[in-house]
């Protein structure tokens, strides 16, 4: 079936550098995308979202880019900090689907090194 | 404070027993979801509900059951038919307009 997936299972980043986490999706009907951060033993926390009528959206130290042509989503974290160490998930949804269920990718473990 | 609460945080079950995981939200959200997470893996959808008294199977519903008698509550029962129930269970809710889902802090279920 169609699914959301990530290119890299683990990303090691030096403190202060920028991080880029990638996500590929295959459901062309998806029009809403979310990035979540999950720390060990906790529930996922919302980071940023983007709708398909946008290519880019910025938050505090984070930017999400959406390339609908190649069905690719990325999360950029500026000036990565030790507190950014976590697993990051992308999720997709079809907002015209009345049930609106979210499908998640496998996740990327980000490790910030000093 | 508004939020979504799961209980208990840790749960131990003997083989052959049914157990029920609680999920309560006071966000006035219509949609609620249950996900299962295994170590080093992503979230897999078990069941979801858009309105009271209605719910749909997700990708891995076998061995699980749910109810949605109240808007605020969406309990998940892990039955003895679930052969490998040890996992981290996450409940989520979403408001109108298909916005982001808010997650609880999870219940870690271990079969002993």
């Amino acid at each position: 079936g169609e699914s959301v997936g990530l290119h890299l299972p683990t990303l090691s980043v030096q403190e202060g550098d920028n991080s880029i986490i990638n996500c590929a999706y295959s459901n062309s009907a998806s029009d809403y995308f979310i990035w979540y951060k999950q720390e060990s033993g906790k529930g996922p926390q919302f980071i940023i979202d983007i709708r398909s009528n946008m290519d880019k959206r910025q938050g505090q130290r984070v930017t999400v880019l959406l390339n609908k042509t190649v069905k690719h989503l990325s999360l950029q974290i500026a000036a990565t900090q030790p507190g950014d160490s976590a697993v990051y998930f992308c999720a997709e949804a079809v907002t015209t689907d009345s049930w609106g269920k979210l499908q998640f990718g496998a996740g990327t473990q980000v490790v910030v090194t000093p | 404070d508004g939020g979504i609460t799961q209980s208990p945080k840790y749960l131990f079950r003997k083989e052959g027993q049914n157990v029920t995981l609680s999920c309560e939200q006071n966000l006035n959200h219509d949609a609620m979801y249950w996900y299962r997470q295994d170590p080093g893996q992503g979230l897999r959808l078990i069941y979801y509900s858009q309105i009271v008294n209605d719910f749909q199977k997700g990708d891995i519903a076998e061995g699980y059951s749910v109810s949605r008698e109240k808007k605020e509550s969406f309990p998940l029962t892990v039955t003895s038919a679930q052969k490998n129930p040890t996992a981290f269970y996450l409940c989520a809710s979403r408001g109108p307009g298909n916005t982001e889902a808010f997650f609880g802090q999870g219940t870690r279920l271990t079969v002993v």
Side-chain angles (χ1 to χ4, degrees), chain A residues 88-104:
Chain A
Y88 290 80
F89 294 97
C90 65
E92 62 173 330
V94 179
T95 57
T96 53
D97 176 357
S98 61
W99 289 97
K101 63 179 181 179
L102 284 171
Q103 292 283 12
F104 284 79

Side-chain angles (χ1 to χ4, degrees), chain B residues 3 24 28 32 41-42 44-45 56 72 76 79 103 105:
Chain B
E24 303 278 333
N28 199 34
M32 296 187 75
Q41 298 188 30
R44 292 185 290 169
L45 184 63
Q56 295 288 320
E72 303 80 17
L76 173 74
T79 74
F103 282 85
Q105 289 303 298

Side-chain angles (χ1 to χ4, degrees), chain A residues 48-106:
Chain A
I48 192 168
D49 60 0
I50 189 167
R51 297 190 184 274
S52 60
N53 61 350
M54 301 174 69
D55 297 322
K56 179 180 180 179
R57 192 165 187 221
Q58 289 184 293
Q60 188 176 11
R61 279 202 308 120
V62 295
T63 301
V64 55
L65 299 177
L66 176 62
N67 186 331
K68 295 180 288 294
T69 302
V70 296
K71 298 188 184 69
H72 185 266
L73 192 69
S74 69
L75 177 71
Q76 299 178 1
I77 305 174
T80 309
Q81 303 169 357
D84 294 327
S85 292
V87 176
Y88 290 80
F89 294 97
C90 65
E92 62 173 330
V94 179
T95 57
T96 53
D97 176 357
S98 61
W99 289 97
K101 63 179 181 179
L102 284 171
Q103 292 283 12
F104 284 79

Side-chain angles (χ1 to χ4, degrees), chain A residues 35-39 43-47 83-89:
Chain A
W35 280 101
Y36 284 92
K37 173 186 180 182
Q38 186 180 26
E39 297 176 340
Q45 293 177 291
F46 171 84
I47 301 173
D84 294 327
S85 292
V87 176
Y88 290 80
F89 294 97

